[in-house]
Amino acid sequence: MTLDEVTPRITTFISESFLDGDPKGELTESTPLLEWEILNSMNSALLLNFLREELRVDVPLSSINAANFRDIAAISKLVSGLVAVPAEGV
C-alpha cells in the first residue's frame, strides 16, 4: 500500500470519526493533530484499531510517539513503511 493509497483513507477516517466529517474542510495532511487535540488517548486508540483492522497494519509500541502521529503525513509515512516490511512469522 502506497502513501497515495494510505493518506486519503486515514484522512477520511479522522475526518469522519473525530471531526464530524470536517464540514469546514480544515483537515489537511499537515494539520497538527496532537497540538489541536484531535488525537487524544481515546482517539489514538481508535486510530490504531482502524490501522489494524482496515489497513492491516500493526503499529509497534516503539513507533507510537508524537513524531509519528503529529499529522496525517507522518502517520501515512509510518503506515506505508510498515506495510512494506513483512511481519515476522508470515
Side-chain angles (χ1 to χ4, degrees), residues 1-27:
M1 201 174 301
T2 67
L3 265 175
D4 291 337
E5 296 168 324
V6 169
T7 302
R9 292 184 70 184
I10 293 172
T11 302
T12 298
F13 174 78
I14 291 173
S15 172
E16 291 176 356
S17 299
F18 311 139
L19 301 173
D20 294 325
D22 190 27
K24 294 181 183 176
E26 296 175 344
L27 184 65

Side-chain angles (χ1 to χ4, degrees), residues 3 26-28 31 34 41 48 55 60 73 84:
L3 265 175
E26 296 175 344
L27 184 65
T28 68
T31 298
L34 299 171
S41 57
L48 289 168
L55 301 182

